[in-house]
Amino acid sequence: MIEAALAGTGGMMPLPNRFLSSMLARVNGSLILFDCGEGTQVTLKLLGWGFKEIDAVCFTHFHADHISGLPGLLLTIGNANREQPLTMYGPPGLAHIVKSLCCIAPDLPFPIDCVEWAARRENSIGLADDLTLSAFPVDHGPPCFAYSLNLKRRGKFDPERAKAANVPLKIWSALQKQNDADIVYNNERFTSDMVLGPARKGLKLVFCTDTRPVSSLAGFADGADLLVCEGLYGDEEKWEKAASHMHMTFREAAEIAREAGAGELWLTHFSPAMPNPQDYAEAARAVFPRAVVGRDRMHKTLKFEE
Ligand SMILES: [Zn+2]
Ligand SMILES: [Zn+2]
């Protein structure tokens, strides 16, 4: 399963009751944070999923509302006595920016690795045997990436298949548990696909902010169980303003969710000039009925189909 939480739902500046847009995902006991603006560590504290297990921080882009909370967060993770490396992912220039921010967070007890995505193309990296992180270039002015987390689900154990492939009974269970690994038994090599049926539908979580709608974005978000997408304004009359600032309206985000066939859409990154984003829920639902106007610390568990 993948657990997803909106740490914050604001754009540009944190408000007393709305932290800056950020998402935390928990998969296989590890936490992955997407963006970290000013105050993100406060809302993470309120959420209560912990700091020490944050293994990765993924940045969409380097506007301050998405990264300026990093030094404080790193100090807090350091105070939790983390010693394992922490990996940051982001657009080109990430290593330089992280190094600069770390001037005010020196002597951390854990090493930091930076992975910079290649510009203007989709990038993917395996975080675990069954978990892939992908980054997709979007259109916001400065280099900016949308993210997806894909959790694979292996096939069902199939004893008939195991028998047909003459897999010794003794190693059935080991092959069933092991991901893509070979087992050598009596000088013969056996693989998990000899005991498993076809792979089943996995889980997909997509995080997309800040951007104008780009035509290929729906393809990147295709079939997402949950699409978290920016909507700077709910009021369609603000469309021109959203477009000139390289952002989207609720309607535009809902159109992407519809085209992608997403399971659910959560809107986020609201303008501070929009005190009650919920007032515009209908603007999104008219296009995509499973649209939800995000709230800080709203969370959900994505589960494999029965
Ligand atoms: Zn922003
Ligand atoms: Zn931005």
Side-chain angles (χ1 to χ4, degrees):
M1 64 182 185
I2 301 180
E3 292 165 276
L6 287 185
T9 55
M12 297 148 84
M13 66 183 83
L15 299 178
N17 56 355
R18 192 192 294 164
F19 286 96
L20 285 169
S21 153
S22 166
M23 180 177 80
L24 189 65
R26 181 157 55 189
V27 196
N28 302 333
S30 153
L31 293 173
I32 302 159
L33 179 67
F34 295 85
D35 283 343
C36 186
E38 181 186 346
T40 290
Q41 65 160 322
V42 183
T43 182
L44 291 181
K45 181 83 181 165
L46 291 169
L47 180 67
W49 290 13
F51 293 94
K52 197 178 174 183
E53 293 75 23
I54 296 178
D55 290 319
V57 185
C58 308
F59 293 102
T60 56
H61 63 302
F62 303 137
H63 280 155
D65 56 332
H66 297 257
I67 193 166
S68 65
L70 184 66
L73 177 76
L74 294 176
L75 289 168
T76 298
I77 295 174
N79 282 335
N81 295 320
R82 183 186 175 94
E83 289 178 349
Q84 307 98 300
L86 192 154
T87 309
M88 315 250 172
Y89 300 90
L94 175 72
H96 170 70
I97 286 182
V98 168
K99 196 173 169 215
S100 307
L101 289 171
C102 280
C103 286
I104 53 168
D107 306 323
L108 295 168
F110 53 88
I112 292 173
D113 299 324
C114 286
V115 175
E116 299 188 1
W117 304 123
R120 291 183 288 278
R121 68 172 177 83
E122 186 173 340
N123 295 253
S124 281
I125 199 162
L127 298 183
D129 281 346
D130 54 352
L131 186 66
T132 306
L133 173 72
S134 299
F136 184 81
V138 291
D139 184 19
H140 183 52
C144 185
F145 288 85
Y147 285 95
S148 85
L149 266 182
N150 290 275
L151 184 64
K152 271 196 263 173
R153 190 185 193 194
R154 295 154 39 110
K156 258 191 186 152
F157 176 66
D158 182 351
E160 294 310 316
R161 203 178 161 93
K163 279 183 216 161
N166 290 322
V167 179
L169 193 64
K170 267 198 166 174
I171 59 167
W172 279 17
S173 143
L175 280 175
Q176 192 185 347
K177 284 175 199 146
Q178 226 155 313
N179 263 332
D180 306 323
D182 297 1
I183 290 182
V184 178
Y185 185 82
N186 281 346
N187 294 324
E188 242 187 291
R189 188 175 293 274
F190 298 93
T191 52
S192 55
D193 61 331
M194 293 171 163
V195 303
L196 300 177
R200 289 170 284 178
K201 184 191 170 303
L203 292 171
K204 182 169 176 178
L205 170 64
V206 176
F207 183 72
C208 176
T209 185
D210 306 350
T211 182
R212 287 293 301 143
V214 283
S215 58
S216 41
L217 192 52
F220 178 69
D222 184 48
D225 297 273
L226 174 60
L227 166 63
V228 176
C229 188
E230 77 134 294
L232 191 67
Y233 296 112
D235 184 351
E236 200 51 30
E237 287 188 3
K238 298 262 173 64
W239 177 84
E240 261 183 343
K241 209 167 171 190
S244 67
H245 289 88
M246 305 302 278
H247 285 283
M248 282 190 243
T249 61
F250 284 15
R251 174 189 56 80
E252 289 175 315
E255 282 170 353
I256 291 169
R258 182 178 63 190
E259 203 184 326
E264 202 171 322
L265 166 69
W266 286 2
L267 292 156
T268 187
H269 198 281
F270 308 128
S271 163
M274 184 165 63
N276 297 306
Q278 309 290 338
D279 292 351
Y280 301 98
E282 260 322 298
R285 285 195 198 123
V287 176
F288 184 74
R290 295 180 303 282
V292 178
V293 177
R295 291 178 193 273
D296 284 24
R297 294 173 300 285
M298 185 165 104
H299 56 91
K300 177 179 179 141
T301 302
L302 307 177
K303 291 183 181 156
F304 289 129
E305 281 172 359
E306 283 307 312

